[in-house]
Amino acid sequence: MTRQSLAELNAIERAMQHRPEVLQLRLHHLMRKHDWTRALMVSRKLCRVLPNSTTGFLHAGFCLHELGRTAQAKQLLLRGPTALRKEPIYHYNMGCYEALLGNLYCAQQHLQISFKMDASFRDLASRDPDLEAVHALI
């Protein structure tokens, strides 16, 4: 149904293409295809349309990370809305980014916060290759 969904998205009138729900659905499709460059563009639009929402920032950070721009992903999340800090995925992603950037203590702190907020992240972390440097610490 992906093809049909994309056709429906593309058929939406131009003036409506920047609505948050349209951007979010388009972003979903691009990320599933691992089209990180285009997904980053859409997620940045989402950040502009909904600057107090966490979704665009989390996805933009992930896209930057997947494009090998992990330091930029970290900086983007640090500049994001304060609501991000209430999301376990924010702390998990920051843990990953910090670990990859060699900041193991900060990585461990973010990961522990994510585990306290949502215990399922502990299992995910144990299998995440981005966290190899901190597996013994968590």
Side-chain angles (χ1 to χ4, degrees), residues 1-9 28-30 32-33:
M1 296 194 64
T2 299
R3 191 176 307 137
Q4 290 171 312
S5 177
L6 286 170
E8 291 291 328
L9 276 175
H28 170 77
H29 287 297
L30 292 169
R32 281 184 52 115
K33 288 176 32 180

Side-chain angles (χ1 to χ4, degrees), residues 11-81:
I12 295 172
E13 63 184 82
R14 184 179 168 145
M16 303 296 278
Q17 287 291 327
H18 297 287
R19 292 191 49 89
E21 51 276 2
V22 174
L23 292 171
Q24 287 177 340
L25 189 53
R26 188 172 302 283
L27 178 58
H28 170 77
H29 287 297
L30 292 169
M31 291 182 78
R32 281 184 52 115
K33 288 176 32 180
H34 296 185
D35 189 343
W36 306 120
T37 301
R38 288 180 57 207
L40 177 60
M41 290 176 7
V42 173
S43 60
R44 284 185 167 158
K45 286 180 188 176
L46 193 54
C47 290
R48 287 190 298 275
V49 171
L50 294 173
N52 294 318
S53 175
T54 61
T55 304
F57 288 89
L58 289 166
H59 290 312
F62 188 78
C63 291
L64 284 166
H65 167 65
E66 289 297 313
L67 290 166
R69 297 160 57 188
T70 302
Q72 286 178 310
K74 174 186 166 184
Q75 290 307 311
L76 176 83
L77 290 184
L78 289 172
R79 290 189 316 267

Side-chain angles (χ1 to χ4, degrees), residues 73-92:
K74 174 186 166 184
Q75 290 307 311
L76 176 83
L77 290 184
L78 289 172
R79 290 189 316 267
T82 57
L84 279 169
R85 281 110 186 129
K86 295 177 184 172
E87 301 271 353
I89 190 67
Y90 164 84
H91 292 284
Y92 183 85

